[in-house]
Amino acid sequence: MACIFCQIIEGKAPGKILFRDEQVTAFRDAHPIAPIHILIVPNIHISTVNDMTTDNECLVGHMVNVAQRLARDYGVSTSGYRLVLNTGPDAGQTIFHLHLHLIGGRALPFHFR
Ligand code: 5GP
Ligand code: ZN
């Protein structure tokens, strides 16, 4: 499958991996919009939130817990950060492998982009 995030997870494409466990991989966004811009990605291919099932709901909770840990490790827990899950064209989703953006390190405008 020609999914760039699957390729990064499998080590077949370059990515600055910051965290990995049996459920998720986290790596730096290639085009950061803030000093801290990390993507937390399930190791299994799920295209969008629309493709989730109740079987996946613990996975998303785990993604948020990993984001919390990375926010602490990268020093933005107190200053604040934004967690974003874009879904579909109107949200500007460009990569159709579910990913949670962790964005922080500067004051963010209300709108994501
Ligand atoms: P979306 O708009 O789908 O929510 O976000 C996709 C994100 O993936 C964008 O912020 C984009 O910069 C990032 N991205 C796209 N291609 C790559 C890549 O090959 N490597 C990494 N690390 N990030 C990517
Ligand atoms: Zn994928």
Side-chain angles (χ1 to χ4, degrees):
M1 182 192 299
C3 167
I4 184 63
F5 285 1
C6 281
Q7 289 173 7
I8 292 171
I9 291 162
E10 290 166 16
K12 293 176 181 159
K16 197 154 176 20
I17 291 174
L18 305 178
F19 177 86
R20 188 199 293 277
D21 68 12
E22 68 285 352
Q23 293 186 79
V24 300
T25 300
F27 48 87
R28 293 214 188 256
D29 195 291
H31 306 285
I33 64 161
I36 302 300
H37 190 167
I38 299 169
L39 304 174
I40 297 106
V41 176
N43 292 340
I44 57 168
H45 184 93
I46 300 169
S47 296
T48 78
V49 169
N50 290 335
D51 301 294
M52 286 179 54
T53 68
T54 50
D55 289 347
N56 308 128
E57 62 191 12
C58 290
L59 176 62
V60 174
H62 184 63
M63 288 164 70
V64 174
N65 272 329
V66 169
Q68 180 208 61
R69 197 180 318 165
L70 288 166
R72 189 181 60 233
D73 291 350
Y74 287 87
V76 296
S77 286
T78 305
S79 53
Y81 54 92
R82 186 169 291 164
L83 300 179
V84 176
L85 267 176
N86 289 321
T87 304
D90 280 357
Q93 185 177 6
T94 56
I95 304 287
F96 287 82
H97 181 133
L98 191 71
H99 52 280
L100 182 65
H101 294 255
L102 162 60
I103 304 161
R106 69 171 173 89
L108 298 165
F110 180 73
H111 293 290
F112 176 44
R113 288 188 209 272

